[in-house]
Amino acid sequence: MSDAGSPDDSSENPLLRVEGLQKHFQVNEGLISSVLRAVTAKEADYVHAVDGVSFELEHGETLGLAGESGCGKTTTGMSLVKLHEPTDGRIEFKGMDLTEPDDEELAEFRQNSQMIFQDPFESLNPRMTVYDTLAEPLRIHDIANETARIRRALEFAELQPPDQYFDQYPHELSGGQRQRVAIARALVLDPDFIVADEPVSMLDVSLRAGVLSLMERMTEEFNLSVVYISHDLSLLRHMCDRLAIMYMGEIVEKGDTEDVIENPQHPYTRALINAVPVPDPNVGRERVELAGEVGDAIDVPSGCRFHGRCSEYIGEICKTESPPIEQKVEFDDDREVACHLYDSCQDGS
Amino acid sequence: MSVLEVSDLEVYYETESAPAQAVDGVSFSIEEGENLGIVGESGCGKTTLAKAIIGILPDEGYVNRGSIEFDGRDLTEMSEAERRRYKWEEISMIAQSAMNALDPVYTIHEQIVEAIETHRPGTGRTESNEIVAEMFDLVGLDPERADDYPHQFSGGMRQRAMIAMALALEPSLVLADEPTTALDVIMQDQILKRIGEIQSDINSSMMVITHDVSVVAETCDRVIVMYAGKIAEEGPVEEIFGNPYHPYTIGLKRAFPNIRQSDQDLLSIAGYPPELTDPPSGCRFAERCPIATDECRTVEPEAQQQGDLRTYCHYADEIDDGFRSRADDPETWEETEAARSTRSAAEVNN
């Protein structure tokens, strides 16, 4: 397989460019509901899981997607590796448009992008040995040196000695070992891009740091670009170069991880960061109570989706106009915020 | 005055081979109005401890030795019927999974009323209804929704309903087993705040069981760190987090990323806890400990008092002679017996 573009295209294009990604799921897709809809002439309802997400991921960069349950972060991640077909929007991988890829492009993309799931108890086939689990992607993509590659991937994942794991089934492994097998499976194809969805949240505390440092090593040694999906901001601060905060299917703030955490600007980001408990009893924490619960993802709120809970609500504009995510004159870092509190750089100039 | 006094408690589980010593020689007390945190990794015995206290151990679990004194009476000596009176009325439990703890075929309202009327037979329906409405209000739920079934609630709402239920009878002791682990941070924050407010209203004590050291740091007065069925270290929350003596406490603290710190070097504790059916004769943490010696592997450590801390480590006295800095350095943790055995296996292979 040769690289799709010229060798220097990596310097021009980001590894991944996502523009206006949308994923809507139809509610009540069943036969009876659709007959009823036809009779009553009502339109189908959709869950707006992801609603216009845009970002770029550079080579070797790690991006964190954070937000509460149901904010669309996992759906975004799954759309990125084409486990979901987006409703709308465009995903470019190394300059290659993935909207309607031909077979060859899709095969190349599948080989270069991998996903690590939250629950290693469910993501590994219980009837396959560790060897077969890792061999499957190699066979699909017709890659030689199967055993050597598998051995290398297991060694990298600190499953030592690798041969001892070849014939083991997932149920014979601990949670930490299973997640390491899942990481090894993701690495065995030598991908450029990995989506890791809550990679350690199912693991015991003492094991988390080990898996995290393995993933850090993986990013460095393979020069990988990784999208980490997690609700745990402490973890994302530790793992990511850049951070995007999601609320109800949209990115409300993104920027350098340190900037976003140290100096959050969107009222939702502030509430989210403020709610994280600190493992130090001497550090006081200001508690901001957020009103209400996350809004309805089917009948989404008008204007800014956060307006009903926002402590900085400034009036009608929040209710009527959806704030675009953009750079604001108030901040000189490369941060983008979707909030009417700040002035757009575009209006100012 | 102590609300609860646990002495030399041993809780075992029958297994096909030897019994698993899930809780082994644990002693502690909880004072009135005090919040005690229990932290440790899965299988350290923290949930077993709570189940033994409230009296809901599974069939294969039993108290092998020791006493659990509540209000001056030993719960382990009581008959099942006698114990039931204490359950919920005096000692209640907020379970980890509210989905499984609530009965799906009854409305939330019915379930709370049932608990009230069972324990306070004289309570009229109007009064019970008032209590439910009041509790709903306290935990931030709309009282109008009390007649909903559990499946009509979101996860956060169910957890709050569970808390309302656990606190409705104003028990003197609440056992909270991972009360917020299943929730998002914002919901967790609100619920912890609510629990704190209600608790100070009814002046109950609480035992918070969690793997999340930051939750304990924020909600508890005192902390017990458990490892493999035993107490590793116990003391005031400031001391445990500020100046711990046990290498396991130091390691656990460093294994967590802190949102307030950038560029942290996380530490990973290699290996796994020992088999509880055949625990090691020495310190149970020795194999994974960066400062372990032959003494640790053979002799079980006694409690050592270090100021307000009770530490089960042979080297607590000498911690400042370089032991603390070694235990605080991620690199020394790569030289523990457990870490070395993983690596040496690899070398044999090569």
Side-chain angles (χ1 to χ4, degrees):
Chain A
M1 175 210 70
S2 61
D3 273 334
S6 55
D8 62 350
D9 73 346
S10 61
S11 54
E12 292 163 24
N13 285 316
L15 182 83
L16 191 76
R17 179 181 286 139
V18 181
E19 272 171 27
L21 181 72
Q22 280 188 6
K23 178 67 192 173
H24 297 173
F25 294 99
Q26 192 178 334
V27 186
N28 291 334
E29 257 185 310
L31 177 67
I32 295 172
S33 309
S34 39
V35 171
L36 275 179
R37 260 199 308 276
V39 174
T40 56
K42 264 192 193 156
E43 279 194 30
D45 285 333
Y46 289 91
V47 170
H48 298 234
V50 179
D51 222 359
V53 159
S54 307
F55 62 86
E56 287 179 1
L57 185 70
E58 300 296 334
H59 291 262
E61 186 180 48
T62 49
L63 170 77
L65 278 184
E68 292 172 275
S69 311
C71 71
K73 53 191 193 299
T74 293
T75 308
T76 304
M78 289 176 77
S79 306
L80 292 181
V81 290
K82 282 194 102 55
L83 289 176
H84 280 318
E85 206 49 54
T87 310
D88 197 14
R90 192 181 151 89
I91 300 174
E92 261 178 40
F93 182 74
K94 293 181 172 174
M96 171 172 83
D97 185 0
L98 288 178
T99 321
E100 277 167 4
D102 57 34
D103 290 352
E104 203 179 305
E105 286 174 323
L106 190 62
E108 192 203 329
F109 175 71
R110 291 256 186 250
Q111 190 179 342
N112 277 304
S113 64
Q114 292 292 318
M115 184 149 183
I116 297 167
F117 296 90
Q118 175 169 12
D119 189 349
F121 292 80
E122 288 184 359
S123 66
L124 298 177
N125 187 334
R127 289 165 191 270
M128 275 165 105
T129 61
V130 169
Y131 186 91
D132 287 336
T133 301
L134 268 75
E136 193 181 32
L138 293 171
R139 289 173 192 160
I140 289 170
H141 291 283
D142 211 5
I143 293 169
N145 293 335
E146 196 175 276
T147 310
R149 276 181 171 255
I150 292 173
R151 197 171 276 142
R152 199 170 60 111
L154 288 175
E155 263 173 18
F156 185 82
E158 290 157 13
L159 292 167
Q160 311 256 35
D163 295 53
Q164 203 178 51
Y165 289 90
F166 280 2
D167 295 326
Q168 292 203 301
Y169 286 91
H171 75 265
E172 297 173 281
L173 305 172
S174 70
Q177 288 170 331
R178 279 184 231 206
Q179 198 61 311
R180 287 174 191 273
V181 171
I183 293 173
R185 177 180 57 183
L187 292 175
V188 76
L189 285 173
D190 221 339
D192 299 317
F193 169 52
I194 283 186
V195 173
D197 186 2
E198 301 277 13
V200 297
S201 66
M202 298 290 287
L203 304 181
D204 218 329
V205 275
S206 62
L207 302 175
R208 281 186 194 178
V211 172
L212 287 179
S213 71
L214 166 64
M215 296 190 68
E216 276 178 296
R217 216 153 49 76
M218 157 189 109
T219 317
E220 255 167 56
E221 285 182 29
F222 289 73
N223 192 32
L224 281 175
S225 308
V226 187
V227 171
Y228 283 101
I229 297 167
S230 180
H231 67 283
D232 185 344
L233 285 163
S234 318
L235 182 147
L236 291 178
R237 174 167 197 180
H238 183 71
M239 299 296 287
C240 300
D241 304 324
R242 282 199 311 137
L243 196 59
I245 309 288
M246 287 187 75
Y247 185 75
M248 288 191 75
E250 298 178 326
I251 293 179
V252 294
E253 180 163 0
K254 64 183 171 191
D256 193 70
T257 303
E258 290 299 304
D259 294 337
V260 174
I261 300 238
E262 285 293 326
N263 200 8
Q265 296 301 341
H266 194 285
Y268 177 68
T269 316
R270 273 190 217 148
L272 194 65
I273 289 172
N274 247 308
V276 179
V278 184
D280 183 348
N282 300 314
V283 172
R285 184 163 63 85
E286 189 194 343
R287 277 195 152 131
V288 201
E289 187 146 341
L290 209 52
E293 295 209 25
V294 179
D296 188 348
I298 297 172
D299 187 15
V300 289
S302 63
C304 171
R305 293 182 182 181
F306 188 59
H307 77 251
R309 307 173 76 190
C310 186
S311 55
E312 309 272 345
Y313 181 72
I314 50 171
E316 226 23 48
I317 187 168
C318 296
K319 257 193 207 164
T320 52
E321 245 178 77
S322 176
I325 177 137
E326 58 191 359
Q327 292 200 310
K328 301 287 191 182
V329 289
E330 284 87 347
F331 318 117
D332 49 13
D333 45 31
D334 69 345
R335 176 199 315 256
E336 291 175 47
V337 189
C339 182
H340 292 302
L341 279 179
Y342 311 105
D343 295 319
S344 168
C345 282
Q346 265 141 32
D347 304 343
S349 57
Chain B
M1 206 196 93
S2 300
V3 173
L4 186 81
E5 183 107 35
V6 173
S7 318
D8 203 18
L9 186 68
E10 290 182 0
V11 186
Y12 289 5
Y13 288 109
E14 274 323 335
T15 70
E16 277 169 24
S17 51
Q21 305 170 21
V23 173
D24 193 10
V26 164
S27 306
F28 66 92
S29 62
I30 301 180
E31 304 300 311
E32 207 178 291
E34 183 184 52
N35 281 0
L36 175 74
I38 312 260
V39 291
E41 56 201 288
S42 309
C44 72
K46 52 193 196 300
T47 298
T48 300
L49 188 59
K51 286 185 172 166
I53 293 170
I54 197 171
I56 51 165
L57 282 172
D59 290 342
E60 63 275 18
Y62 59 95
V63 173
N64 188 53
R65 208 166 68 132
S67 64
I68 305 169
E69 274 187 28
F70 180 81
D71 214 7
R73 294 197 54 196
D74 188 352
L75 295 176
T76 61
E77 307 265 296
M78 283 181 194
S79 68
E80 196 53 36
E82 233 182 327
R83 262 198 108 149
R84 200 168 296 134
R85 283 216 319 271
Y86 282 86
K87 227 179 269 178
W88 225 244
E89 164 99 62
E90 290 292 340
I91 306 176
S92 70
M93 185 154 172
I94 302 170
Q96 176 166 8
S97 163
M99 192 61 195
N100 302 332
L102 295 169
D103 193 327
V105 299
Y106 292 99
T107 65
I108 308 276
H109 181 260
E110 284 166 340
Q111 297 185 45
I112 303 181
V113 167
E114 187 194 355
I116 298 172
E117 291 179 352
T118 311
H119 288 283
R120 302 203 180 136
T123 321
R125 189 43 67 100
T126 336
E127 198 185 327
S128 315
N129 288 349
E130 270 170 26
I131 299 179
V132 175
E134 195 187 327
M135 288 320 296
F136 259 56
D137 210 34
L138 270 174
V139 296
L141 287 172
D142 182 358
E144 303 252 301
R145 292 200 57 182
D147 288 322
D148 281 4
Y149 287 91
H151 77 269
Q152 292 170 293
F153 275 22
S154 72
M157 289 164 78
R158 280 197 293 264
Q159 198 67 28
R160 281 188 273 182
M162 184 77 222
I163 292 166
M165 210 160 138
L167 301 172
L169 291 166
E170 309 196 349
S172 2
L173 177 64
V174 180
L175 310 174
D177 186 9
E178 305 274 10
T180 55
T181 305
L183 304 176
D184 277 311
V185 275
I186 291 182
M187 192 55 67
Q188 159 171 297
D189 194 42
Q190 293 176 7
I191 286 192
L192 291 177
K193 190 175 153 211
R194 283 264 150 65
I195 294 179
E197 288 165 359
I198 301 171
Q199 216 199 332
S200 60
D201 266 9
I202 62 180
N203 194 31
S204 65
S205 310
M206 187 158 72
M207 186 166 126
V208 183
I209 297 155
T210 179
H211 68 279
D212 189 340
V213 294
S214 34
V215 166
V216 163
E218 292 204 346
T219 54
C220 295
D221 308 304
R222 224 149 40 83
V223 186
I224 288 177
V225 179
M226 278 186 81
Y227 184 76
K230 284 183 176 295
I231 293 180
E233 190 158 32
E234 189 232 306
V237 67
E238 295 83 10
E239 293 290 309
I240 288 278
F241 286 96
N243 203 19
Y245 281 76
H246 199 290
Y248 182 58
T249 315
I250 298 172
L252 208 55
K253 206 182 107 191
R254 286 292 306 273
F256 263 94
N258 178 345
I259 188 150
R260 298 293 167 90
Q261 277 168 27
S262 59
D263 285 335
Q264 308 157 71
D265 209 355
L266 292 189
L267 168 161
S268 91
I269 305 174
Y272 300 94
E275 271 311 322
L276 292 174
T277 47
D278 181 24
S281 53
C283 171
R284 291 194 176 179
F285 187 58
E287 205 204 347
R288 304 171 77 188
C289 180
I291 62 169
T293 62
D294 285 340
E295 186 188 7
C296 302
R297 285 179 266 274
T298 46
V299 185
E300 203 185 312
E302 300 275 324
Q304 290 200 33
Q305 202 68 32
Q306 297 291 339
D308 291 332
L309 286 179
R310 175 161 60 118
T311 305
Y312 290 82
C313 173
H314 289 301
Y315 296 101
D317 266 340
E318 297 151 59
I319 192 86
D320 287 321
D321 306 340
F323 283 113
R324 189 193 301 280
S325 54
R326 276 169 59 200
D328 206 28
D329 179 0
E331 274 177 27
T332 51
W333 288 82
E334 286 165 21
E335 296 306 321
T336 60
E337 204 183 317
R340 273 201 307 270
S341 69
T342 327
R343 272 201 306 275
S344 65
E347 275 153 27
V348 169
N349 177 57
N350 291 339

